[in-house]
Amino acid sequence: MTPPRVDVVIPAWGDDPWLERSVDSVLASTGVDAAAIIVDNGNDPATIDRLGARPRVTVVRPGTNLGFAGGCNAGAAAARPTSDVVAFLNQDAILESGALAALAEVASRADVGIASASVRLADDPDLLNSAGNPVHFLGFCWSGAYGEPMADYQVEADVASAAGAAMAMRRTVWDAVGGFAEEYFAYHEDTEL
């Protein structure tokens, strides 16, 4: 079988020492045909130029900080027309080698709208940052299972909201929902989606 084509959008702002490792992890992903799309929301020009010279990396330079929501929209607009899955990743998130393939597999199912990754804490990868985000009936959202052991969340489960830090959906779903609401410059755009 042909591996799914997954375009990973990474909005980049500020001089973040993790950005290069984040892009490396996308390009090293196994089981997928992965490409990285970096949206330069105001990052170090030398870093962006260096990363943009790599194969399978596209740089989008809007000339202004579009925020997370606008940056993700601009990046998705630059995705390969033949991509099967569009994924979104924080600039300081590092993928394990098979994580993108697992996320794409779930996102590719007809009964799944958005697939949310299991996001772990960098300083203690045995603990979670998010196992999907719960949403209160008043609209409040938070990182579900924050600080809880990753081992307690080994079974796939439905979640109310995906964590924008690492999520994916079929390209057809992305096109149908029309992207992130850009009035959510940063924060809660994932919940609204």
Side-chain angles (χ1 to χ4, degrees):
M1 288 184 60
T2 303
R5 294 171 63 97
V6 182
D7 286 349
V8 181
V9 177
I10 306 170
W13 179 81
D15 188 15
D16 191 319
W18 289 90
L19 177 60
E20 194 153 359
R21 286 178 269 185
S22 182
V23 172
D24 287 343
S25 73
V26 170
L27 300 178
S29 293
T30 58
V32 292
D33 173 3
I37 302 168
I38 302 167
V39 181
D40 182 8
N41 271 343
N43 201 281
D44 173 53
T47 300
I48 297 296
D49 290 343
R50 185 175 59 255
L51 291 171
R54 294 181 179 189
R56 298 185 292 134
V57 174
T58 300
V59 173
V60 176
R61 290 184 167 95
T64 188
N65 184 356
L66 301 176
F68 185 83
C72 286
N73 289 345
R80 297 173 288 184
T82 57
S83 63
D84 302 302
V85 173
V86 179
F88 302 92
L89 188 67
N90 277 3
Q91 68 186 16
D92 61 353
I94 310 299
L95 296 169
E96 292 185 1
S97 63
L100 191 56
L103 193 60
E105 187 276 320
V106 173
S108 295
R109 297 179 196 159
D111 63 339
V112 172
I114 302 171
S116 186
S118 171
V119 182
R120 301 178 192 181
L121 296 173
D123 56 349
D124 190 348
D126 291 331
L127 298 179
L128 289 170
N129 175 283
S130 175
N133 297 340
V135 179
H136 189 273
F137 73 92
L138 293 176
F140 300 110
C141 181
W142 60 95
S143 293
Y146 179 83
E148 295 183 27
M150 179 265 315
D152 292 350
Y153 292 87
Q154 296 297 305
V155 178
E156 187 179 297
D158 289 342
V159 296
S161 176
M167 60 187 256
M169 66 198 78
R170 293 182 311 283
R171 177 66 180 263
T172 55
V173 171
W174 173 258
D175 292 341
V177 299
F180 289 106
E182 294 188 14
E183 55 268 29
Y184 293 92
F185 185 79
Y187 303 107
H188 303 294
E189 70 290 319
D190 47 4
T191 306
E192 192 279 332
L193 184 70

